[in-house]
Amino acid sequence: MITILHGNLIHAPSFGTLETIPNGYLVLEDGIVQGIYPTLPEQFAACPVTDYGGGLIMPSFADLHLHAPQYPMLGMGMDLPLLDWLDTYTFRTEARFEDTDYARRVYRQLAEDLITSGTTRVAMFSSRHTDATLILMEELEKAGVTGYVGKVNMDRSAGLSQEKTEESISETLRWLENCHFDLVKPILTPRFTPSCTNELMAALGKLAAERDLPVQSHLSENAGEIALVGQLHPDCPQYWESYEKYGLWKDRTLMAHCVHSDSREQAAMAKAGVWAVHCAASNVNLCSGTAPVRELVEHGVHVALGSDIAGGDQLAMNKVIVMSIRASKIKQIETGAPFLTVPEAYYLGSTAGHTYFGGGAGFQSGHKLHAIVIDDSSLPEPTRELTLDERFERAIYLMDKRHIQAVYSEGVRRV
Amino acid sequence: MITILHGNLIHAPSFGTLETIPNGYLVLEDGIVQGIYPTLPEQFAACPVTDYGGGLIMPSFADLHLHAPQYPMLGMGMDLPLLDWLDTYTFRTEARFEDTDYARRVYRQLAEDLITSGTTRVAMFSSRHTDATLILMEELEKAGVTGYVGKVNMDRSAGLSQEKTEESISETLRWLENCHFDLVKPILTPRFTPSCTNELMAALGKLAAERDLPVQSHLSENAGEIALVGQLHPDCPQYWESYEKYGLWKDRTLMAHCVHSDSREQAAMAKAGVWAVHCAASNVNLCSGTAPVRELVEHGVHVALGSDIAGGDQLAMNKVIVMSIRASKIKQIETGAPFLTVPEAYYLGSTAGHTYFGGGAGFQSGHKLHAIVIDDSSLPEPTRELTLDERFERAIYLMDKRHIQAVYSEGVRRV
């Protein structure tokens, strides 16, 4: 079945490219992009059109690093040092997800918040709880948020949230057996090297290889953490090698942060096909620093963006995009590396993440539509008619969910 | 007439102090704060109570630096270098305010946006246009936004927006003659040293002294600007001395930015009673740097916050407060100076600004009420009951105007 969307089409098919089609037509066949056109081809003249008038139709957002059970602590504890923040808020909050009723309520609210904010693909950390993780996956699927979710593994230095090693492994197996979702798939999630014993890391690496499962974790977020990994793994010259040793450093492994990744670590990422997930708000909130995003891109590392709630305080990915621009401007002041332009940062927070999951580059034909429609008519009255490039930039900076008129995920309108 | 507000009272009467009164009572007499109480004193038992239940009642925000005619270009041109940004957007946009009908529409929208965002006091730049400036003042007054507005003076290097010297002076006099507003008063506004001839600076300094008018301008925003001032005023060892030379550097002069103010310039500010207005978002957006806010405070300089739209992209002052915290965290990484805590930054964005205009410290008795009431019940469900300190922090980070239930300005409810 053919359906057609009419409006101003804007997409970023590659890093640094922004293409606009004023008053264009996006043709879908069973939710799959068939093509984008400045005028409607004759053959589709009789097909139904959803007319978004002057609205902006753009690929939706993809959030490749966030902690679902930290949603209840969003915007709190931001004045605390990292370890106090973990003890006072993070571990206690995550422990609460033992309660499946509570998990259901919070995860339903999170899923709703994500889809109405235009985020249609995620790579997400759950807590250690198998049942709550399955509930999270179910709620995301119901809301139309697709991607990967991981039950967290942590059998060391994780306070209230800690597991025993055997329990961590057996619960991971139980979780995998119960992952029967169409749009939300499992990803192995050792929290990070300091919170996993060697035995657990080895078991997860084996599982990743045997079942061809993707992996997500954290890398080189701050100096204390890097030093600790050095103590725990004296045989590893660098942090990333603690993952490589156990088979967790592989194609499509997602590594959040990479704030302090030097050129050797970056080269190892590029070589293995490991992705860096840049979380600018979190890195500033926790005084971790500003990640070398431009350098990572130039080294051939795949980069995507993450909200990293609740180290990050903003779930809306347009705000995350803006924060990544701001962080890159700080980086430019420090090092001279050119800042991320709005189209570049939007690419990282949208198309880059979509392609991680096999999605299309912008509105590439042959891929299920993931898109948002923005009504910017309530933004301040400009002095003259704006170009689509200007309206795009302004929307990224100023919009919130009130301006999101429609959201399409996997070819289906969900908002 | 006595009226009473009931709810959770939160205020920051001094830098770094946060006081909370759960389920408290704020007693007003003709809009003037009479006192705050944990339980209602017997004498007021018969007075009418406005019950905000579980809401947070806090002093409203004060925005001490923003450019009203740049509101239409909010969130645009952020990828451009400063000079291109000025030429492509700023001067062209400001020039449009020759049209008084356009000015009326935009300034009405701005005034509405400010008051519904909880900003009740401002120190604002208009454009060079006398009539549009009077319209701006009228629209602010109607909406309940109080404070100072300045017709901008610029007779040099200001592109489309430039005035002739005599015209700049005569129009300033015409503007002052027509400022008949109760709550919105004039402030002299030489744009900044590079855009004012010596003759104009001297005339404005004379006017400031003769009529005891306050002054606002820009100081030490970026390196190129500082170098230019050095060339224009070779007799001035530092930027600030170009203002001092013409009588513009005086008690209560507002100086936006001060990103590169060193200890000598800071000492000159403290000595003269000049205020620094910190504009974190703008300073990052334009790659200017991060201002030494902690150092300014420790040098005894009065500091307040400004949204600096449209160099800044956020009008809502809670977002400006959060950006000032983020900028201070970057500064901490660079220099080790402790970052601004949430209560400290809130003080700068609220009470500090109010006291500039003679307002009270927090809910100080004897001052007209400037307050907002926040309904945070739609924020994510927490894992346990939150303290008022936690709810305060979360509101500053997460709220937008949808959470602002009421706004009081000059003792009157305006939202």
Side-chain angles (χ1 to χ4, degrees):
Chain A
M1 164 158 174
I2 301 275
T3 51
I4 295 163
L5 312 187
H6 174 247
N8 294 300
L9 307 179
I10 301 175
H11 66 153
S14 64
F15 183 71
T17 309
L18 192 77
E19 290 178 4
T20 59
I21 304 183
N23 276 305
Y25 296 86
L26 195 159
V27 177
L28 295 170
E29 187 164 357
D30 299 328
I32 294 168
V33 179
Q34 191 279 339
I36 51 176
Y37 306 95
T39 52
L40 190 63
E42 196 55 39
Q43 69 200 93
F44 304 121
C47 302
V49 175
T50 305
D51 193 352
Y52 289 112
L56 308 176
I57 305 176
M58 296 164 40
S60 63
F61 302 115
D63 184 348
L64 263 65
H65 184 71
L66 74 166
H67 294 266
Q70 294 176 24
Y71 184 61
M73 53 181 273
L74 203 60
M76 286 190 288
M78 294 279 112
D79 285 352
L80 295 177
L82 181 60
L83 290 182
D84 292 347
W85 179 76
L86 283 171
D87 286 341
T88 312
Y89 285 95
T90 315
F91 292 145
R92 282 168 204 259
T93 305
E94 293 199 10
R96 187 77 169 77
F97 287 79
E98 183 73 37
D99 175 347
T100 51
D101 288 340
Y102 180 75
R104 177 76 67 188
R105 288 201 306 280
V106 169
Y107 289 155
R108 188 167 291 169
Q109 194 181 2
L110 171 61
E112 169 76 12
D113 204 353
L114 281 164
I115 196 77
T116 54
S117 301
T119 299
T120 64
R121 280 186 168 115
V122 295
M124 197 181 255
F125 281 48
S126 176
S127 61
R128 67 179 170 86
H129 308 96
T130 300
D131 296 330
T133 303
L134 291 167
I135 288 168
L136 171 59
M137 296 171 87
E138 195 184 321
E139 290 298 330
L140 291 174
E141 173 130 323
K142 269 195 229 162
V145 181
T146 72
Y148 293 157
V149 168
K151 172 219 168 320
V152 166
N153 298 99
M154 46 187 172
D155 64 342
R156 176 164 71 179
S157 310
L160 278 171
S161 293
Q162 194 164 318
E163 309 164 295
K164 289 189 176 130
T165 308
E166 312 77 55
E167 179 199 6
S168 185
I169 298 167
S170 64
E171 283 297 302
T172 301
L173 293 172
R174 182 166 83 83
W175 164 59
L176 291 172
E177 275 159 29
N178 287 282
C179 283
H180 304 301
F181 305 98
D182 285 338
L183 304 176
V184 184
K185 300 293 179 187
I187 181 168
L188 292 180
T189 307
R191 189 170 197 122
F192 69 147
T193 300
S195 65
C196 297
T197 61
N198 298 353
E199 190 188 344
L200 180 56
M201 296 273 269
L204 293 173
K206 195 159 161 275
L207 202 54
E210 282 171 6
R211 305 202 183 185
D212 194 23
L213 287 167
V215 174
Q216 62 180 351
S217 196
H218 296 90
L219 183 70
S220 298
E221 181 175 0
N222 72 56
E225 171 206 20
I226 296 168
L228 178 57
V229 172
Q231 285 164 26
L232 294 169
H233 295 272
D235 55 319
C236 294
Q238 289 195 305
Y239 190 164
W240 64 275
E241 291 166 284
S242 68
Y243 294 116
E244 192 198 33
K245 191 162 62 163
Y246 296 107
L248 297 163
W249 187 261
K250 57 178 203 142
D251 191 39
R252 297 183 70 238
T253 290
L254 292 172
M255 282 290 163
H257 304 309
C258 310
V259 173
H260 301 284
S261 297
D262 65 7
S263 57
R264 182 172 176 272
E265 193 159 272
Q266 291 178 29
M269 300 184 79
K271 190 175 165 201
V274 167
W275 285 56
V277 188
H278 174 47
C279 307
S282 170
N283 296 158
V284 174
N285 287 344
L286 300 175
C287 296
S288 303
T290 50
V293 179
R294 175 76 57 191
E295 217 182 300
L296 283 159
V297 170
E298 283 173 359
H299 272 90
V301 178
H302 290 291
V303 178
L305 302 185
S307 68
D308 192 26
I309 65 160
D313 53 289
Q314 298 165 326
L315 191 70
M317 285 299 291
N318 68 303
K319 301 295 177 200
V320 171
I321 287 167
V322 170
M323 264 308 296
S324 73
I325 295 169
R326 293 197 215 282
S328 75
K329 286 178 173 176
I330 297 291
K331 201 78 186 170
Q332 173 171 320
I333 295 169
E334 286 167 14
T335 70
F339 63 73
L340 294 172
T341 64
V342 184
E344 285 174 344
Y346 169 64
Y347 171 83
L348 298 180
S350 176
T351 289
H354 289 304
T355 61
Y356 175 79
F357 297 101
F363 291 130
Q364 192 182 342
S365 298
H367 295 270
K368 289 261 174 82
L369 182 66
H370 283 252
I372 56 176
V373 182
I374 299 166
D375 175 0
D376 61 354
S377 60
S378 65
L379 294 177
E381 182 189 337
T383 54
R384 54 173 170 74
E385 196 176 342
L386 299 179
T387 65
L388 283 185
D389 289 64
E390 288 174 320
R391 290 177 62 192
F392 159 76
E393 177 179 4
R394 192 163 82 133
I396 293 294
Y397 270 92
L398 303 187
M399 76 174 175
D400 59 43
K401 57 172 70 175
R402 285 168 297 183
H403 304 102
I404 299 183
Q405 193 180 347
V407 179
Y408 291 82
S409 177
E410 284 288 303
V412 178
R413 183 168 176 179
R414 304 302 300 239
V415 172
Chain B
M1 164 161 174
I2 301 276
T3 51
I4 295 164
L5 311 187
H6 175 248
N8 294 300
L9 307 179
I10 301 175
H11 66 153
S14 65
F15 182 71
T17 310
L18 192 76
E19 290 178 5
T20 59
I21 304 183
N23 276 305
Y25 296 86
L26 195 158
V27 177
L28 295 170
E29 187 165 358
D30 299 328
I32 294 168
V33 179
Q34 191 282 338
I36 50 175
Y37 306 95
T39 53
L40 191 64
E42 197 55 40
Q43 70 199 93
F44 304 120
C47 302
V49 175
T50 304
D51 193 352
Y52 289 113
L56 309 177
I57 306 176
M58 296 165 39
S60 62
F61 302 114
D63 185 347
L64 263 64
H65 184 72
L66 74 167
H67 294 266
Q70 294 176 24
Y71 184 61
M73 52 180 272
L74 204 58
M76 285 190 288
M78 294 280 113
D79 285 352
L80 296 177
L82 181 60
L83 290 182
D84 291 347
W85 179 77
L86 282 171
D87 285 341
T88 312
Y89 286 96
T90 314
F91 293 144
R92 280 168 205 259
T93 305
E94 293 199 9
R96 186 77 169 77
F97 286 79
E98 183 73 37
D99 175 348
T100 51
D101 288 339
Y102 180 74
R104 177 77 68 187
R105 288 201 306 279
V106 170
Y107 288 154
R108 187 167 290 169
Q109 194 181 2
L110 171 60
E112 168 76 11
D113 204 353
L114 282 164
I115 195 75
T116 55
S117 301
T119 299
T120 64
R121 279 185 168 117
V122 295
M124 198 181 255
F125 281 49
S126 176
S127 61
R128 68 178 170 85
H129 308 96
T130 300
D131 296 329
T133 303
L134 292 167
I135 288 169
L136 171 59
M137 296 172 87
E138 195 184 321
E139 289 299 329
L140 292 173
E141 173 130 323
K142 269 196 227 162
V145 181
T146 73
Y148 295 156
V149 168
K151 173 218 167 321
V152 166
N153 298 100
M154 44 188 174
D155 65 343
R156 175 164 71 178
S157 310
L160 278 173
S161 294
Q162 194 164 317
E163 309 164 295
K164 290 191 176 128
T165 308
E166 311 76 56
E167 178 199 7
S168 186
I169 297 167
S170 64
E171 283 298 301
T172 301
L173 294 171
R174 182 165 82 85
W175 164 59
L176 291 172
E177 275 159 29
N178 288 282
C179 283
H180 305 300
F181 306 98
D182 285 338
L183 304 175
V184 184
K185 301 292 179 189
I187 182 168
L188 292 180
T189 307
R191 188 170 198 122
F192 68 149
T193 300
S195 65
C196 297
T197 60
N198 297 353
E199 190 187 345
L200 180 58
M201 296 273 270
L204 293 173
K206 194 159 162 277
L207 202 55
E210 282 171 5
R211 306 202 184 184
D212 194 23
L213 287 167
V215 174
Q216 62 181 351
S217 196
H218 296 91
L219 183 69
S220 298
E221 181 174 359
N222 72 55
E225 171 206 18
I226 295 168
L228 178 57
V229 172
Q231 286 165 26
L232 295 169
H233 295 272
D235 55 320
C236 295
Q238 289 196 305
Y239 191 164
W240 64 275
E241 291 167 281
S242 68
Y243 294 116
E244 191 199 34
K245 191 162 64 163
Y246 296 107
L248 298 163
W249 187 260
K250 57 178 202 143
D251 192 39
R252 297 184 68 238
T253 290
L254 292 172
M255 283 290 163
H257 305 308
C258 309
V259 173
H260 300 284
S261 297
D262 65 7
S263 57
R264 183 171 176 272
E265 191 159 273
Q266 291 178 30
M269 300 185 80
K271 191 175 166 202
V274 167
W275 285 56
V277 188
H278 175 46
C279 308
S282 170
N283 296 158
V284 174
N285 287 345
L286 300 176
C287 295
S288 304
T290 50
V293 178
R294 174 77 56 192
E295 219 183 299
L296 283 158
V297 170
E298 284 172 357
H299 272 90
V301 179
H302 290 291
V303 179
L305 303 185
S307 67
D308 191 27
I309 66 160
D313 53 289
Q314 298 165 326
L315 191 70
M317 285 299 290
N318 68 302
K319 301 294 177 199
V320 171
I321 288 167
V322 170
M323 263 310 294
S324 73
I325 294 169
R326 293 198 215 281
S328 75
K329 286 178 173 177
I330 297 291
K331 201 78 184 169
Q332 173 171 320
I333 296 170
E334 286 167 13
T335 69
F339 63 73
L340 294 173
T341 65
V342 185
E344 284 174 345
Y346 170 64
Y347 171 85
L348 298 179
S350 175
T351 289
H354 289 305
T355 61
Y356 175 80
F357 297 101
F363 291 130
Q364 193 182 341
S365 298
H367 295 271
K368 288 262 174 83
L369 182 67
H370 282 253
I372 55 175
V373 182
I374 299 166
D375 175 0
D376 60 355
S377 61
S378 65
L379 294 177
E381 182 190 338
T383 54
R384 55 174 168 76
E385 197 177 340
L386 299 178
T387 65
L388 283 185
D389 288 64
E390 288 174 320
R391 289 176 61 192
F392 159 76
E393 178 179 5
R394 193 163 80 134
I396 292 293
Y397 270 93
L398 303 187
M399 77 175 176
D400 58 44
K401 57 172 71 175
R402 285 168 297 184
H403 303 102
I404 299 183
Q405 193 180 347
V407 179
Y408 291 82
S409 177
E410 284 289 303
V412 177
R413 182 167 176 180
R414 305 301 300 240
V415 172

mmCIF file of all heavy atoms in Angstrom, chain A residues 163-185:
data_model
loop_
_atom_site.group_PDB
_atom_site.id
_atom_site.type_symbol
_atom_site.label_atom_id
_atom_site.label_comp_id
_atom_site.label_asym_id
_atom_site.label_seq_id
_atom_site.Cartn_x
_atom_site.Cartn_y
_atom_site.Cartn_z
ATOM 1 N N GLU A 163 25.256 -8.029 41.809
ATOM 2 C CA GLU A 163 24.824 -9.426 41.674
ATOM 3 C C GLU A 163 25.976 -10.367 42.055
ATOM 4 O O GLU A 163 27.134 -9.966 42.042
ATOM 5 C CB GLU A 163 24.491 -9.746 40.208
ATOM 6 C CG GLU A 163 23.555 -8.808 39.515
ATOM 7 C CD GLU A 163 23.620 -8.985 38.002
ATOM 8 O OE1 GLU A 163 24.683 -8.696 37.408
ATOM 9 O OE2 GLU A 163 22.603 -9.422 37.434
ATOM 10 N N LYS A 164 25.619 -11.636 42.306
ATOM 11 C CA LYS A 164 26.659 -12.668 42.371
ATOM 12 C C LYS A 164 26.973 -13.082 40.935
ATOM 13 O O LYS A 164 26.116 -13.010 40.049
ATOM 14 C CB LYS A 164 26.146 -13.858 43.156
ATOM 15 C CG LYS A 164 26.031 -13.538 44.636
ATOM 16 C CD LYS A 164 25.721 -14.764 45.474
ATOM 17 C CE LYS A 164 25.716 -14.377 46.925
ATOM 18 N NZ LYS A 164 24.498 -14.854 47.623
ATOM 19 N N THR A 165 28.191 -13.566 40.730
ATOM 20 C CA THR A 165 28.626 -13.878 39.363
ATOM 21 C C THR A 165 27.711 -14.902 38.677
ATOM 22 O O THR A 165 27.237 -14.674 37.554
ATOM 23 C CB THR A 165 30.078 -14.407 39.370
ATOM 24 O OG1 THR A 165 30.880 -13.484 40.099
ATOM 25 C CG2 THR A 165 30.624 -14.557 37.954
ATOM 26 N N GLU A 166 27.445 -16.009 39.368
ATOM 27 C CA GLU A 166 26.640 -17.071 38.741
ATOM 28 C C GLU A 166 25.227 -16.572 38.444
ATOM 29 O O GLU A 166 24.626 -16.884 37.420
ATOM 30 C CB GLU A 166 26.522 -18.322 39.630
ATOM 31 C CG GLU A 166 27.833 -18.825 40.208
ATOM 32 C CD GLU A 166 28.291 -17.962 41.372
ATOM 33 O OE1 GLU A 166 27.519 -17.777 42.327
ATOM 34 O OE2 GLU A 166 29.423 -17.422 41.296
ATOM 35 N N GLU A 167 24.716 -15.785 39.411
ATOM 36 C CA GLU A 167 23.376 -15.217 39.263
ATOM 37 C C GLU A 167 23.345 -14.286 38.037
ATOM 38 O O GLU A 167 22.388 -14.311 37.238
ATOM 39 C CB GLU A 167 23.056 -14.435 40.539
ATOM 40 C CG GLU A 167 21.710 -13.736 40.587
ATOM 41 C CD GLU A 167 21.682 -12.636 41.653
ATOM 42 O OE1 GLU A 167 22.735 -12.349 42.276
ATOM 43 O OE2 GLU A 167 20.603 -12.045 41.840
ATOM 44 N N SER A 168 24.369 -13.488 37.895
ATOM 45 C CA SER A 168 24.431 -12.550 36.772
ATOM 46 C C SER A 168 24.368 -13.310 35.450
ATOM 47 O O SER A 168 23.636 -12.932 34.524
ATOM 48 C CB SER A 168 25.720 -11.724 36.864
ATOM 49 O OG SER A 168 25.742 -10.742 35.864
ATOM 50 N N ILE A 169 25.106 -14.424 35.385
ATOM 51 C CA ILE A 169 25.128 -15.220 34.155
ATOM 52 C C ILE A 169 23.792 -15.943 33.941
ATOM 53 O O ILE A 169 23.205 -15.886 32.851
ATOM 54 C CB ILE A 169 26.307 -16.223 34.178
ATOM 55 C CG1 ILE A 169 27.639 -15.453 34.252
ATOM 56 C CG2 ILE A 169 26.274 -17.130 32.950
ATOM 57 C CD1 ILE A 169 28.843 -16.311 34.597
ATOM 58 N N SER A 170 23.288 -16.578 34.988
ATOM 59 C CA SER A 170 22.050 -17.357 34.812
ATOM 60 C C SER A 170 20.862 -16.432 34.513
ATOM 61 O O SER A 170 19.987 -16.760 33.699
ATOM 62 C CB SER A 170 21.771 -18.235 36.035
ATOM 63 O OG SER A 170 21.544 -17.431 37.174
ATOM 64 N N GLU A 171 20.847 -15.276 35.145
ATOM 65 C CA GLU A 171 19.756 -14.326 34.873
ATOM 66 C C GLU A 171 19.866 -13.760 33.443
ATOM 67 O O GLU A 171 18.845 -13.485 32.804
ATOM 68 C CB GLU A 171 19.759 -13.182 35.893
ATOM 69 C CG GLU A 171 19.170 -13.577 37.244
ATOM 70 C CD GLU A 171 17.688 -13.965 37.149
ATOM 71 O OE1 GLU A 171 16.884 -13.141 36.698
ATOM 72 O OE2 GLU A 171 17.347 -15.111 37.505
ATOM 73 N N THR A 172 21.078 -13.608 32.971
ATOM 74 C CA THR A 172 21.254 -13.147 31.584
ATOM 75 C C THR A 172 20.662 -14.178 30.617
ATOM 76 O O THR A 172 19.971 -13.825 29.655
ATOM 77 C CB THR A 172 22.747 -12.915 31.280
ATOM 78 O OG1 THR A 172 23.240 -11.937 32.201
ATOM 79 C CG2 THR A 172 22.961 -12.417 29.854
ATOM 80 N N LEU A 173 20.912 -15.451 30.928
ATOM 81 C CA LEU A 173 20.364 -16.514 30.065
ATOM 82 C C LEU A 173 18.840 -16.533 30.135
ATOM 83 O O LEU A 173 18.153 -16.650 29.115
ATOM 84 C CB LEU A 173 20.942 -17.875 30.474
ATOM 85 C CG LEU A 173 22.458 -18.013 30.216
ATOM 86 C CD1 LEU A 173 22.999 -19.302 30.830
ATOM 87 C CD2 LEU A 173 22.761 -17.960 28.715
ATOM 88 N N ARG A 174 18.307 -16.384 31.356
ATOM 89 C CA ARG A 174 16.851 -16.362 31.510
ATOM 90 C C ARG A 174 16.246 -15.175 30.744
ATOM 91 O O ARG A 174 15.212 -15.315 30.074
ATOM 92 C CB ARG A 174 16.485 -16.266 32.994
ATOM 93 C CG ARG A 174 14.979 -16.287 33.256
ATOM 94 C CD ARG A 174 14.634 -16.538 34.709
ATOM 95 N NE ARG A 174 14.685 -15.357 35.552
ATOM 96 C CZ ARG A 174 13.707 -14.459 35.683
ATOM 97 N NH1 ARG A 174 12.583 -14.595 34.987
ATOM 98 N NH2 ARG A 174 13.838 -13.428 36.486
ATOM 99 N N TRP A 175 16.908 -14.039 30.839
ATOM 100 C CA TRP A 175 16.443 -12.845 30.120
ATOM 101 C C TRP A 175 16.439 -13.104 28.604
ATOM 102 O O TRP A 175 15.427 -12.855 27.932
ATOM 103 C CB TRP A 175 17.355 -11.661 30.495
ATOM 104 C CG TRP A 175 17.272 -10.479 29.583
ATOM 105 C CD1 TRP A 175 16.166 -9.746 29.292
ATOM 106 C CD2 TRP A 175 18.348 -9.908 28.836
ATOM 107 N NE1 TRP A 175 16.488 -8.739 28.410
ATOM 108 C CE2 TRP A 175 17.822 -8.809 28.115
ATOM 109 C CE3 TRP A 175 19.704 -10.195 28.715
ATOM 110 C CZ2 TRP A 175 18.615 -8.025 27.280
ATOM 111 C CZ3 TRP A 175 20.493 -9.410 27.899
ATOM 112 C CH2 TRP A 175 19.943 -8.336 27.187
ATOM 113 N N LEU A 176 17.533 -13.648 28.091
ATOM 114 C CA LEU A 176 17.623 -13.886 26.639
ATOM 115 C C LEU A 176 16.537 -14.851 26.162
ATOM 116 O O LEU A 176 15.956 -14.667 25.086
ATOM 117 C CB LEU A 176 19.013 -14.424 26.272
ATOM 118 C CG LEU A 176 20.172 -13.419 26.409
ATOM 119 C CD1 LEU A 176 21.524 -14.116 26.202
ATOM 120 C CD2 LEU A 176 20.019 -12.271 25.404
ATOM 121 N N GLU A 177 16.247 -15.845 26.980
ATOM 122 C CA GLU A 177 15.200 -16.811 26.618
ATOM 123 C C GLU A 177 13.828 -16.160 26.501
ATOM 124 O O GLU A 177 12.952 -16.653 25.788
ATOM 125 C CB GLU A 177 15.087 -17.905 27.692
ATOM 126 C CG GLU A 177 16.069 -19.033 27.487
ATOM 127 C CD GLU A 177 16.294 -19.814 28.789
ATOM 128 O OE1 GLU A 177 15.356 -19.864 29.632
ATOM 129 O OE2 GLU A 177 17.420 -20.329 28.959
ATOM 130 N N ASN A 178 13.645 -15.067 27.232
ATOM 131 C CA ASN A 178 12.328 -14.425 27.262
ATOM 132 C C ASN A 178 12.208 -13.177 26.393
ATOM 133 O O ASN A 178 11.198 -12.484 26.453
ATOM 134 C CB ASN A 178 11.954 -14.100 28.709
ATOM 135 C CG ASN A 178 11.600 -15.366 29.469
ATOM 136 O OD1 ASN A 178 10.511 -15.902 29.317
ATOM 137 N ND2 ASN A 178 12.553 -15.891 30.239
ATOM 138 N N CYS A 179 13.235 -12.899 25.635
ATOM 139 C CA CYS A 179 13.197 -11.725 24.736
ATOM 140 C C CYS A 179 12.471 -12.096 23.448
ATOM 141 O O CYS A 179 13.093 -12.542 22.486
ATOM 142 C CB CYS A 179 14.615 -11.281 24.376
ATOM 143 S SG CYS A 179 15.447 -10.382 25.672
ATOM 144 N N HIS A 180 11.163 -11.934 23.440
ATOM 145 C CA HIS A 180 10.413 -12.253 22.222
ATOM 146 C C HIS A 180 9.734 -11.003 21.707
ATOM 147 O O HIS A 180 8.508 -10.902 21.715
ATOM 148 C CB HIS A 180 9.365 -13.329 22.513
ATOM 149 C CG HIS A 180 9.944 -14.558 23.108
ATOM 150 N ND1 HIS A 180 10.916 -15.321 22.492
ATOM 151 C CD2 HIS A 180 9.718 -15.167 24.301
ATOM 152 C CE1 HIS A 180 11.247 -16.347 23.249
ATOM 153 N NE2 HIS A 180 10.544 -16.271 24.361
ATOM 154 N N PHE A 181 10.498 -10.065 21.285
ATOM 155 C CA PHE A 181 9.921 -8.814 20.819
ATOM 156 C C PHE A 181 10.307 -8.616 19.361
ATOM 157 O O PHE A 181 11.352 -9.062 18.919
ATOM 158 C CB PHE A 181 10.407 -7.647 21.681
ATOM 159 C CG PHE A 181 10.150 -7.860 23.148
ATOM 160 C CD1 PHE A 181 11.158 -8.326 23.982
ATOM 161 C CD2 PHE A 181 8.895 -7.638 23.690
ATOM 162 C CE1 PHE A 181 10.926 -8.548 25.330
ATOM 163 C CE2 PHE A 181 8.644 -7.850 25.039
ATOM 164 C CZ PHE A 181 9.665 -8.315 25.867
ATOM 165 N N ASP A 182 9.450 -7.925 18.637
ATOM 166 C CA ASP A 182 9.726 -7.700 17.210
ATOM 167 C C ASP A 182 10.751 -6.592 16.986
ATOM 168 O O ASP A 182 11.615 -6.690 16.130
ATOM 169 C CB ASP A 182 8.434 -7.271 16.480
ATOM 170 C CG ASP A 182 7.509 -8.459 16.276
ATOM 171 O OD1 ASP A 182 8.017 -9.598 16.292
ATOM 172 O OD2 ASP A 182 6.292 -8.237 16.132
ATOM 173 N N LEU A 183 10.596 -5.510 17.759
ATOM 174 C CA LEU A 183 11.348 -4.286 17.438
ATOM 175 C C LEU A 183 12.412 -3.961 18.477
ATOM 176 O O LEU A 183 13.224 -3.059 18.272
ATOM 177 C CB LEU A 183 10.377 -3.108 17.331
ATOM 178 C CG LEU A 183 9.230 -3.286 16.333
ATOM 179 C CD1 LEU A 183 8.280 -2.099 16.394
ATOM 180 C CD2 LEU A 183 9.779 -3.458 14.920
ATOM 181 N N VAL A 184 12.395 -4.643 19.597
ATOM 182 C CA VAL A 184 13.356 -4.362 20.671
ATOM 183 C C VAL A 184 14.147 -5.639 20.945
ATOM 184 O O VAL A 184 13.576 -6.660 21.326
ATOM 185 C CB VAL A 184 12.635 -3.888 21.952
ATOM 186 C CG1 VAL A 184 13.652 -3.519 23.019
ATOM 187 C CG2 VAL A 184 11.744 -2.686 21.639
ATOM 188 N N LYS A 185 15.444 -5.562 20.708
ATOM 189 C CA LYS A 185 16.284 -6.753 20.763
ATOM 190 C C LYS A 185 17.301 -6.646 21.905
ATOM 191 O O LYS A 185 17.610 -5.552 22.383
ATOM 192 C CB LYS A 185 17.037 -6.897 19.425
ATOM 193 C CG LYS A 185 16.123 -7.026 18.208
ATOM 194 C CD LYS A 185 15.348 -8.323 18.230
ATOM 195 C CE LYS A 185 14.406 -8.461 17.036
ATOM 196 N NZ LYS A 185 13.537 -9.647 17.163
#
